[in-house]
Amino acid sequence: MHPILGIGRSRLQTRPVSQERGKEYSIVSWASSSVLLQRQHILWVYGPAGCGKSAISQEVSERVQGGGRLLATFFFFRNAGDRSRIGRLPNTLASQMAMALPETAELIEDAAMAEPDLLTTNSSLSLSARLQYLVYEPFKAVVGRKSRAKSLFTKPYLIVIDGLDECEDKEGVQEFITSALKFFKQHPSIPLRLFITSRVEQHIHSSCLKDGGVCLKDLASFCSRNDIQAFMRTVFDAQMKANPIIQAYVRQNGSWPSRSDAEKLVDHIGGSFIFASTLFKFIFEQNSKEDSSTPMDRLPLALNINPGLDALYLQTLARAEHLPHFTNILSNIALLARPLPISGIAELLDIEAHQVSQVLVDLQAIIQVPGTDDAPVTFFHTSLRDFLTTESRSGRFFAAPSFHARLFIQCITCELGMRRRNPEVVIQPSKQSAAVRYALEDGQRHWDSAIPQFDAADLGVIVQMQRELVELHPYRSQALNSLGITLRALSARINAVDYVEQAVAVHREELGLRLPPHPQRYESLNSLGIALHSLFEHTGSIPHAEEAVTRHREALSRLPSPHPDRPQLLNNLGIALHSLYRYSRSVPHVEEAITRHRDALGLQQSSHLVAARARTLNMLGTAFLSLFEQTMFIPHVEEAISLYHQALDLQPLHHPDRLQSLNNLGAALCALYGQTKSMSTLEEAISALREAFSLGSPLDPYRDVSLIRLGKVLLSRFEKKGSEADLDEAIPLFRESITEYPGKRIDRTASLADFTNALLTRFAIGQSLCDLEEAILYTRELVVEHYQDGHSFRSSTLRTLASLLQRHFDVTMSDCHLDELVTLQKELGD
């Protein structure tokens, strides 16, 4: 079932076990009590980083296991592969349950045989269904064999879930909570308990606060001053016995620390054991061999560190930032998909292992540095990764997402070096160095994260290396697929048709190597379809679009059902059909696109597919909007608006795709307003487009479109209400779109016309000569560059320009435009 092994013993215990006894005793008592005496099946202990939640989970697990009632445990850990995602949770719980309660094993196997997709971590089945069939139902069936009276008085079994907040799949966490609450509500007498620990996070607690079946406990309220004092005495006593410098100081000066310093230190620490642990490391561990300070010297410095981990992180990192490769090493550790040893970090960054060690030695207060080059480097607490990946907190130490591009290039470099040494040889990753194994197994994750960050130079380098990999790789088709994907990305980055033509050729060769019945043929068909669609977008050649549709249809036909890739292939076919419709105006094309997107949406019900579902909602909405533009049937645009709202509900404020959804919603609302002239629709459009504009940046590829849309709706409201504020807000938007993004996606002639009309309207109100002169400038561009002889708008625009020049003369009495005015009047025959 591919459970995760050894997941309960790898967290740092940040407080002495003696401090857990009172807390874990009451938890064990709750876990062991009959369901007649304690109806709350879920105990949820929460608290801030560092208050000892994981140590308590570990202690409780060991005690309950000693009594033979521990059913399963799962210790989440952020950025630790499967341990940071919820997809493996049902498999792991089921595997451990089968060992703890052997009678369930056969039932679990029967369920997996009947529905193999239950064991797939990216299953098309919902997380709730997988938990139901792999865990809850087998357990219920086994305990149900006992008499009701006996089961009521039986000590319950316990499942321990630690660090739920560290699961990266927030929607999956919510689904897990909901399914557990539902199960216990349906089976209130079942002898099963669920013990959960987490930090305080709204998305986790929202369901529990409303449910009487959950007992919530704030661990911070249990963390007393006496606990911290006892922890401090334990640490200081141990250091006193081991450190001759401290012993000599005490012989000469008396006890250390003094009573007042000890009191200050306890006050300074507050209730955080992780802060206490890290602060003690700061006091007792030398910064480097050159550091001549003693623990007695460092204690006053520790008292001046602001309470809270961020201040400690900043001060500790500042001690090492002068060292070579500091930034690269820190960013590497923060952004890796899973921890690497010192040797692996060095190989991935192409530096020496001793250079990595030199930096890490100075960071031992916050980073766990192994004793050998082959053990993984880890953070003492995952709050450090949160700190490093949040720019507002870490400042100059921020691990920028752009570093993913560097990591991906280094992964390709490591793989290429290995392939050069072993050309056309099938490689077993487990037998390679840590960096090469990481490159083969996890490098793709950095590609996915770096797509928006790559510049053309980066992509050019990757293409060169991947061309060489094609010749060295034992599976040429696999290497060709990667090369084709990069060529498409490079084409999109620099808008060059030759690279997408190369991508088409590469994917055709790849397809030729995967003849039927090759299991990955559908993947090659899909890649070729995407490349052909991109080529169609460049050339407008209908045969390219038609072949893209054909390739996507064949890919779908070769994909077994159910299959986790099926929604993506359905969407790709829908996109190709929609693009074909934009040129052919054949309604059946867009209607089929709608059908395909609906089919994809129906397969994206599981919580781990929330992001993909939001993208499908956008695609479906855009197809309905196109259909509305053809039919002017208002229910079509209303459906599009509803779909965009559903997408936004799945995309919180800082979600990277929220900007696109807002722009799409704004466009649909503008289209509806054009038919209904409803002020409420116009106001909603302005609200959506303003938010989109606030989320965008000058580098956003669709910023020009956002500027024009927002400018146009503000002009529309000005025409309705006459507020000069709307006019003043719209004019800079039009100006930026025209001056900063010339020749982009916008219809420049229409935008120039809107801009000049807005300038003239404001000139009529305020008589600003600047508005008049700017209107002359852009009206002249319309005449000279866009409305050539014979154009239907040329005559009217010439008259507008002549009128503006005359008005300029009347206001300024300057003859600077008189010659041009005479020329225009001659052409007009005036």
Side-chain angles (χ1 to χ4, degrees):
M1 285 191 291
H2 306 294
I4 301 176
L5 304 176
I7 60 170
R9 298 291 181 268
S10 61
R11 280 179 171 271
L12 172 70
Q13 186 164 296
T14 59
R15 57 199 290 176
V17 173
S18 60
Q19 303 304 313
E20 315 305 337
R21 300 301 183 194
K23 287 85 174 175
E24 58 82 15
Y25 178 80
S26 61
I27 295 167
V28 172
S29 176
W30 161 82
S32 302
S33 61
S34 162
V35 292
L36 283 177
L37 301 175
Q38 174 55 265
R39 287 283 184 172
Q40 289 178 307
H41 287 273
I42 302 176
L43 175 59
W44 199 308
V45 172
Y46 64 93
C51 62
K53 301 180 294 294
S54 295
I56 289 176
S57 293
Q58 188 165 312
E59 187 82 4
V60 168
S61 298
E62 290 172 356
R63 288 202 161 222
V64 175
Q65 187 175 36
R69 309 301 289 181
L70 183 65
L71 195 67
T73 65
F74 197 103
F75 282 61
F76 283 102
F77 201 87
R78 193 167 294 143
N79 277 61
D82 286 331
R83 284 183 60 189
S84 64
R85 294 185 291 275
I86 208 161
R88 193 72 74 185
L89 177 66
N91 304 44
T92 302
L93 295 184
S95 176
Q96 292 184 22
M97 181 173 70
M99 291 187 285
L101 199 60
E103 299 98 311
T104 62
E106 184 178 353
L107 299 173
I108 295 168
E109 290 173 5
D110 289 345
M113 288 284 289
E115 180 50 81
D117 204 24
L118 285 170
L119 301 180
T120 308
T121 55
N122 59 347
S123 171
S124 59
L125 299 172
S126 68
L127 178 71
S128 299
R130 295 175 61 216
L131 286 166
Q132 185 74 19
Y133 292 115
L134 291 176
V135 181
Y136 298 144
E137 289 296 333
F139 180 82
K140 182 166 70 77
V142 169
V143 299
R145 295 169 184 169
K146 301 178 182 178
S147 68
R148 175 174 170 78
K150 186 174 181 180
S151 65
L152 285 174
F153 290 99
T154 298
K155 284 186 178 182
Y157 285 88
L158 180 67
I159 294 175
V160 176
I161 306 292
D162 180 71
L164 192 56
D165 58 288
E166 300 199 17
C167 177
E168 296 168 0
D169 181 4
K170 304 307 181 188
E171 293 81 10
V173 167
Q174 193 67 57
E175 186 178 354
F176 166 65
I177 297 167
T178 302
S179 67
L181 292 172
K182 181 180 178 181
F183 175 72
F184 288 126
K185 192 167 289 186
Q186 291 173 342
H187 308 286
S189 300
I190 196 155
L192 180 63
R193 299 273 192 243
L194 182 59
F195 175 60
I196 299 172
T197 70
S198 75
R199 280 190 252 177
V200 184
E201 297 211 358
Q202 186 60 38
H203 76 277
I204 290 180
H205 286 193
S206 57
S207 299
C208 303
L209 292 173
K210 302 174 185 176
D211 195 282
V214 180
C215 178
L216 287 167
K217 294 292 184 183
D218 184 354
L219 186 58
S221 65
F222 290 100
C223 191
S224 70
R225 180 182 179 84
N226 289 339
D227 290 338
I228 297 294
Q229 285 177 325
F231 184 22
M232 188 177 77
R233 281 196 299 271
T234 300
V235 173
F236 274 69
D237 287 349
Q239 289 292 328
M240 178 80 71
K241 293 174 182 177
N243 193 323
I245 295 176
I246 300 176
Q247 295 167 9
Y249 179 89
V250 169
R251 285 195 297 270
Q252 184 174 349
N253 299 284
S255 64
W256 180 81
S258 66
R259 183 183 295 274
S260 63
D261 280 350
E263 291 294 319
K264 288 178 186 176
L265 192 56
V266 172
D267 290 338
H268 194 58
I269 289 167
S272 173
F273 276 88
I274 186 66
F275 182 52
S277 178
T278 309
L279 206 60
F280 296 157
K281 286 179 178 293
F282 178 85
I283 293 169
F284 290 111
E285 293 183 3
Q286 281 185 297
N287 183 35
S288 63
K289 292 180 180 179
E290 292 75 26
D291 183 4
S292 59
S293 63
T294 68
M296 286 67 71
D297 298 324
R298 292 190 288 271
L299 176 58
L301 298 176
L303 290 172
N304 289 325
I305 295 176
N306 291 331
L309 294 176
D310 283 12
L312 184 59
Y313 291 154
L314 287 169
Q315 183 151 345
T316 305
L317 292 168
R319 296 160 70 184
E321 65 178 318
H322 65 284
L323 295 170
H325 310 294
F326 168 82
T327 299
N328 287 343
I329 292 168
L330 193 65
S331 297
N332 179 296
I333 298 171
L335 297 178
L336 286 174
R338 57 182 169 84
L340 280 178
I342 289 173
S343 58
I345 295 169
E347 186 177 356
L348 206 57
L349 294 177
D350 194 24
I351 59 178
E352 297 296 326
H354 72 84
Q355 293 175 307
V356 178
S357 298
Q358 184 183 17
V359 170
L360 295 182
V361 163
D362 284 357
L363 303 178
Q364 289 187 91
I366 56 177
I367 293 178
Q368 193 161 349
V369 183
T372 70
D373 286 353
D374 300 320
V377 176
T378 57
F379 295 138
F380 275 117
H381 201 272
T382 53
S383 61
L384 177 53
R385 179 173 284 106
D386 297 338
F387 169 81
L388 292 172
T389 54
T390 306
E391 187 172 11
S392 60
R393 294 170 62 190
S394 53
R396 67 186 186 276
F397 301 119
F398 176 55
S402 58
F403 196 78
H404 281 292
R406 165 79 183 273
L407 283 172
F408 180 76
I409 290 173
Q410 289 303 123
C411 284
I412 291 285
T413 302
C414 284
E415 180 182 1
L416 184 56
M418 179 271 295
R419 300 285 182 201
R420 285 169 177 163
R421 295 188 297 271
N422 305 278
E424 300 185 32
V425 173
V426 177
I427 300 298
Q428 293 183 7
S430 61
K431 295 183 178 180
Q432 302 301 310
S433 68
V436 171
R437 181 176 181 180
Y438 182 88
L440 295 173
E441 296 179 344
D442 297 287
Q444 184 61 37
R445 296 187 186 184
H446 295 296
W447 168 268
D448 296 338
S449 300
I451 280 292
Q453 314 296 334
F454 283 122
D455 58 28
D458 289 334
L459 292 168
V461 168
I462 295 168
V463 164
Q464 289 179 354
M465 290 193 289
Q466 287 179 331
R467 288 193 191 281
E468 186 176 352
L469 278 171
V470 166
E471 304 305 322
L472 299 172
H473 206 290
Y475 302 116
R476 184 178 176 87
S477 62
Q478 182 180 327
L480 285 167
N481 184 265
S482 298
L483 173 59
I485 291 170
T486 308
L487 285 165
R488 295 194 326 251
L490 181 56
S491 171
R493 180 68 70 233
I494 63 175
N495 197 31
V497 68
D498 55 331
Y499 286 113
V500 77
E501 287 174 338
Q502 291 177 41
V504 169
V506 164
H507 288 310
R508 286 196 194 282
E509 181 184 349
E510 171 198 348
L511 186 63
L513 295 173
R514 291 176 170 176
L515 298 173
H518 194 289
Q520 260 64 57
R521 183 170 172 83
Y522 81 89
E523 180 184 286
S524 302
L525 286 162
N526 182 57
S527 295
L528 178 55
I530 294 171
L532 286 163
H533 176 258
S534 297
L535 187 56
F536 165 67
E537 293 285 299
H538 278 278
T539 64
S541 170
I542 295 293
H544 290 148
E546 291 174 337
E547 186 185 355
V549 169
T550 299
R551 297 299 187 179
H552 285 308
R553 288 194 200 282
E554 186 183 350
L556 269 172
S557 72
R558 293 190 172 277
L559 194 67
S561 183
H563 191 285
D565 290 343
R566 192 166 185 83
Q568 179 186 341
L569 267 63
L570 284 163
N571 277 331
N572 289 343
L573 175 56
I575 291 168
L577 286 162
H578 191 183
S579 293
L580 188 56
Y581 158 77
R582 292 205 308 267
Y583 280 79
S584 69
R585 291 298 165 183
S586 170
V587 171
H589 284 149
V590 73
E591 288 177 337
E592 186 184 353
I594 288 171
T595 299
R596 297 302 186 175
H597 291 315
R598 281 200 190 282
D599 290 344
L601 201 61
L603 298 174
Q604 293 172 326
Q605 302 300 320
S606 184
S607 61
H608 72 275
L609 298 174
V610 167
R613 181 176 175 82
R615 288 192 290 272
T616 301
L617 286 164
N618 266 297
M619 295 174 198
L620 184 54
T622 302
F624 266 109
L625 183 57
S626 291
L627 187 58
F628 164 74
E629 291 166 352
Q630 178 83 354
T631 64
M632 291 300 162
F633 185 50
I634 286 179
H636 288 156
V637 71
E638 289 175 336
E639 177 72 5
I641 290 168
S642 172
L643 291 163
Y644 292 140
H645 275 300
Q646 291 176 54
L648 285 166
D649 288 342
L650 302 176
Q651 297 165 335
L653 183 60
H654 298 294
H655 193 284
D657 295 336
R658 185 173 177 85
L659 172 61
Q660 180 185 354
S661 298
L662 287 164
N663 274 324
N664 289 343
L665 175 60
L669 290 164
C670 289
L672 181 59
Y673 172 75
Q675 292 295 303
T676 65
K677 302 302 179 185
S678 163
M679 281 304 297
S680 62
T681 300
L682 182 62
E683 295 290 352
E684 188 181 354
I686 290 172
S687 176
L689 292 170
R690 271 184 173 153
E691 184 184 345
F693 184 70
S694 71
L695 294 177
S697 75
L699 299 178
D700 172 28
Y702 291 93
R703 185 174 175 84
D704 53 336
V705 178
S706 299
L707 290 163
I708 290 297
R709 280 182 182 156
L710 181 54
K712 288 173 78 71
V713 293
L714 288 166
L715 278 185
S716 295
R717 189 167 70 177
F718 168 76
E719 291 165 0
K720 285 278 188 179
K721 293 188 171 182
S723 170
E724 291 181 37
D726 286 337
L727 191 61
D728 290 340
E729 185 180 351
I731 284 174
L733 298 172
F734 284 119
R735 182 181 293 118
E736 183 181 344
S737 72
I738 288 166
T739 57
E740 300 298 324
Y741 304 96
K744 297 254 320 191
R745 293 173 181 80
I746 59 172
D747 179 352
R748 186 171 177 83
T749 56
S751 299
L752 286 169
D754 288 333
F755 185 31
T756 54
N757 286 336
L759 287 166
L760 291 175
T761 301
R762 192 166 71 175
F763 172 70
I765 296 170
Q767 297 295 304
S768 168
L769 188 62
C770 290
D771 286 340
L772 178 60
E773 290 177 338
E774 197 169 9
I776 289 171
L777 174 68
Y778 290 111
T779 305
R780 183 184 291 124
E781 181 186 331
L782 283 170
V783 169
V784 174
E785 298 184 21
H786 303 287
Y787 298 156
Q788 306 293 329
D789 288 341
H791 195 286
S792 58
F793 291 164
R794 182 172 177 80
S795 179
S796 61
T797 310
L798 283 170
R799 288 192 181 281
T800 300
L801 180 56
S803 173
L804 295 178
L805 294 172
Q806 181 65 56
R807 184 62 176 151
H808 187 273
F809 175 75
D810 294 342
V811 170
T812 65
M813 300 305 292
S814 168
D815 60 359
C816 62
H817 297 308
L818 282 182
D819 291 343
E820 183 180 3
L821 178 59
V822 170
T823 301
L824 292 174
Q825 289 172 339
K826 285 181 179 179
E827 183 175 345
L828 290 166
D830 294 345

